[in-house]
Amino acid sequence: DVKVTQSSRYLVKRTGEKVFLECVQDMDHENMFWYRQDPGLGLRLIYFSYDVKMKEKGDIPEGYSVSREKKERFSLILESASTNQTSMYLCASSPINQPQHFGDGTRLSIL
Amino acid sequence: AQSVTQLDSQVPVFEEAPVELRCNYSSSVSVYLFWYVQYPNQGLQLLLKYLSGSTLVKGINGFEAEFNKSQTSFHLRKPSVHISDTAEYFCAVSDNIDTDKLIFGTGTRLQVFP
C-alpha cells in the first residue's frame, strides 16, 4: 500500500519564521506535489516536482519554495511565514500518468 | 486553462437515500477525471477515475460516476448512502497540457443524517 507521510499533523509558528514541511513517499514515485487547502477554495497547487532536483511552480508559488534532493522526499519551505499562510497543507505523490496519493496533511497556524 | 465546477458546496441527505454530486469541467479535449473523498482530519483518498474506455466508472464504497463528453460532466452517484459516507468530495480533472497535474473543484460536503 502506498504511504505518503507528512512529518507533522499540526504545527504552530510565528510570523517571520522560516518553516519547513516535510513529505516522504515509499513507492518510488516520480511525481510529488504540494497543495494548500482552504475552505471554499478547494486544493490549490503550490509546487510540483517530476524528478530529483526538478521543480515547477504551480498556481500559487509566491512566498514558498521547495526542495527535492532525494526521490522519496519533497520539502516545502515558507521563507518568512505570514498569517495568510495559515492553512492545511497536503502532499501527494504519483507515478507518471497515474492517480495521486495523498498524505494526511499538516495543519499550519502562523501567529 | 482547464477548470472544474462543483456547484453544490453542501448536500444534506437522509441515510439510505440516493445521492448525486455534480461536477462539470471546462474543456472537451481528452482529459482524465477523478473523484476523491476526504474524511475529517485526513488526506484525500481516490474514489474512482476515468482514463478511457467505458463511460460508467465504478469505484470504492459503492460509488459510481458517468463521463458525459457532450455535457462535459462527471457526476458522482450512490444509490443508497450511509452515515459513514459523510465527508468532503472533490472532483478533479487533468491539465490539458500536463496530464500529471490536477485541477480540483472547490469540494462538496456530503452530510448524511439518520
Side-chain angles (χ1 to χ4, degrees):
Chain A
D1 214 18
V2 178
K3 187 106 175 112
V4 179
T5 303
Q6 296 185 231
S7 54
S8 304
R9 293 298 305 275
Y10 301 93
L11 206 53
V12 181
K13 296 291 182 181
R14 296 196 180 278
T15 55
E17 279 193 71
K18 191 169 186 176
V19 180
F20 293 86
L21 302 184
E22 306 287 347
C23 176
V24 177
Q25 50 98 359
D26 65 356
M27 287 302 293
D28 203 37
H29 288 169
E30 288 81 7
N31 303 324
M32 295 190 76
F33 306 84
W34 274 107
Y35 296 89
R36 66 176 281 176
Q37 180 183 9
D38 300 287
L41 297 178
L43 275 73
R44 293 179 292 167
L45 183 64
I46 304 172
Y47 267 97
F48 61 103
S49 169
Y50 290 134
D51 202 350
V52 176
K53 297 192 187 297
M54 296 190 70
K55 60 185 179 184
E56 294 205 25
K57 292 180 180 179
D59 300 317
I60 51 164
E62 296 77 20
Y64 303 95
S65 62
V66 290
S67 172
R68 194 169 181 195
E69 295 296 317
K70 293 184 178 181
K71 192 173 186 179
E72 67 270 19
R73 185 179 297 269
F74 192 36
S75 303
L76 180 69
I77 304 152
L78 285 65
E79 297 291 342
S80 178
S82 63
T83 54
N84 63 11
Q85 292 178 308
T86 290
S87 187
M88 169 73 90
Y89 289 87
L90 291 167
C91 175
S93 72
S94 75
I96 295 171
N97 283 335
Q98 292 296 319
Q100 295 179 22
H101 300 264
F102 284 81
D104 284 337
T106 296
R107 190 168 291 282
L108 175 65
S109 296
I110 307 296
L111 305 179
Chain B
Q2 186 70 270
S3 66
V4 178
T5 302
Q6 292 181 250
L7 282 172
D8 305 306
S9 59
Q10 295 187 65
V11 174
V13 293
F14 287 111
E15 195 173 20
E16 298 183 8
V19 72
E20 178 180 85
L21 306 184
R22 296 181 293 168
C23 173
N24 288 88
Y25 60 97
S26 60
S27 172
S28 60
V29 298
S30 296
V31 293
Y32 303 147
L33 294 154
F34 306 85
W35 275 100
Y36 283 86
V37 60
Q38 185 179 35
Y39 298 105
N41 297 317
Q42 293 185 24
L44 276 67
Q45 178 183 353
L46 181 68
L47 265 182
L48 49 78
K49 61 183 184 287
Y50 173 79
L51 304 180
S52 65
S54 172
T55 56
L56 183 63
V57 180
K58 294 191 183 298
I60 61 171
N61 301 341
F63 283 92
E64 63 181 32
E66 186 157 17
F67 170 57
N68 188 319
K69 188 174 182 179
S70 62
Q71 297 187 8
T72 60
S73 68
F74 190 56
H75 300 331
L76 182 70
R77 301 185 182 101
K78 187 170 183 178
S80 175
V81 294
H82 302 130
I83 296 283
S84 59
D85 292 322
T86 294
E88 186 127 27
Y89 292 79
F90 291 94
C91 180
V93 62
S94 59
D95 184 81
N96 292 343
I97 297 171
D98 183 345
T99 54
D100 279 324
K101 282 176 58 179
L102 295 181
I103 295 96
F104 284 85
T106 52
T108 297
R109 173 142 182 85
L110 176 64
Q111 182 81 45
V112 182
F113 294 93

